[in-house]
Amino acid sequence: RRRRRVTGPAERRRRAGGGACNGGAGAGWFNGNVTGVVGGKDGPGVGMGTATYKVDAGATNTVAAPASFSVSGDSAGHTVVYSGADAVGNASGNSSQTVRIDGTPPPAAALSGTRAGPTQGSVTLNWTQAADATSGVASFDVYKINIAGSGTPCPAAGYTLVVSGLGAGTTSYVTNVGNNAWACLYVVTSDNATNTTNSNIVKVQGK
């Protein structure tokens, strides 16, 4: 699981602290539970004593520093309030961090394909995409595999990436499968928390 480290100021000089979330920055989206650590640095002082934290509307907890806690559940607005104190009770002021979690894959795109496009072998893919309720749709990738003919079933695996990172508002894409050739294609929807969902597979003949 990812970890967040929050370092708070301590002692009379109240040094500023830095932070990291699950080994990195706390901004952005996470796609699972976030484990946090409240700690601090007391420099040449007497050393850290306690860490205090509160997650959302939960209880305020004060324990020996460093303190670990967990944030869970899909939400764009989890709030962690935290502070630290040194070994003789000099405390920092409260700081806060917003934690955003989306562990739910986006809805699948509804895909169709037509034998159309600017060149021989072209096919045009069109899809509709329902909204992702939490982090939002981020991008689309297109995959394909050529098959022997119209009577060949689309396989479950073996597809190759045609294009990646199409923008969230994209609803169509033209690719080439070969003149009169047949191919199976599908689209992968990614949300902003890197969850993914595959569309239905379509079988299309090239122009």
Side-chain angles (χ1 to χ4, degrees):
R1 296 193 305 180
R2 304 185 189 182
R3 296 180 64 83
R4 170 178 176 77
R5 183 168 183 83
V6 181
T7 54
E11 234 200 346
R12 282 187 291 268
R13 286 168 285 189
R14 297 192 176 185
R15 296 178 177 81
C21 193
N22 290 349
W29 285 91
F30 299 90
N31 58 17
N33 293 353
V34 175
T35 299
V37 179
V38 180
K41 296 179 180 179
D42 195 33
V46 296
M48 287 300 299
T50 60
T52 299
Y53 66 88
K54 177 182 179 181
V55 179
D56 296 331
T60 298
N61 300 275
T62 299
V63 295
S68 295
F69 60 90
S70 182
V71 183
S72 61
D74 287 7
S75 174
H78 289 295
T79 300
V80 181
V81 178
Y82 60 91
S83 62
D86 67 14
V88 294
N90 297 306
S92 68
N94 285 340
S95 298
S96 65
Q97 174 68 53
T98 298
V99 177
R100 301 189 295 175
I101 298 174
D102 180 4
T104 303
L111 179 65
S112 63
T114 58
R115 190 184 185 189
T119 61
Q120 287 188 339
S122 292
V123 297
T124 298
L125 300 176
N126 295 283
W127 62 88
T128 58
Q129 176 66 55
D132 179 87
T134 307
S135 65
V137 172
S139 64
F140 299 98
D141 301 337
V142 176
Y143 287 81
K144 78 168 182 177
I145 187 170
N146 281 87
I147 57 175
S150 61
T152 304
C154 291
Y159 291 75
T160 58
L161 178 66
V162 175
V163 63
S164 64
L166 297 174
T170 306
T171 58
S172 66
Y173 185 76
V174 177
T175 189
N176 197 292
V177 302
N179 184 26
N180 291 322
W182 286 86
C184 299
L185 303 101
Y186 67 91
V187 170
V188 177
T189 304
S190 298
D191 66 20
N192 285 292
T194 71
N195 302 297
T196 61
T197 303
N198 294 355
S199 75
N200 56 299
I201 297 172
V202 296
K203 185 189 299 184
V204 190
Q205 185 180 24
K207 180 179 175 182

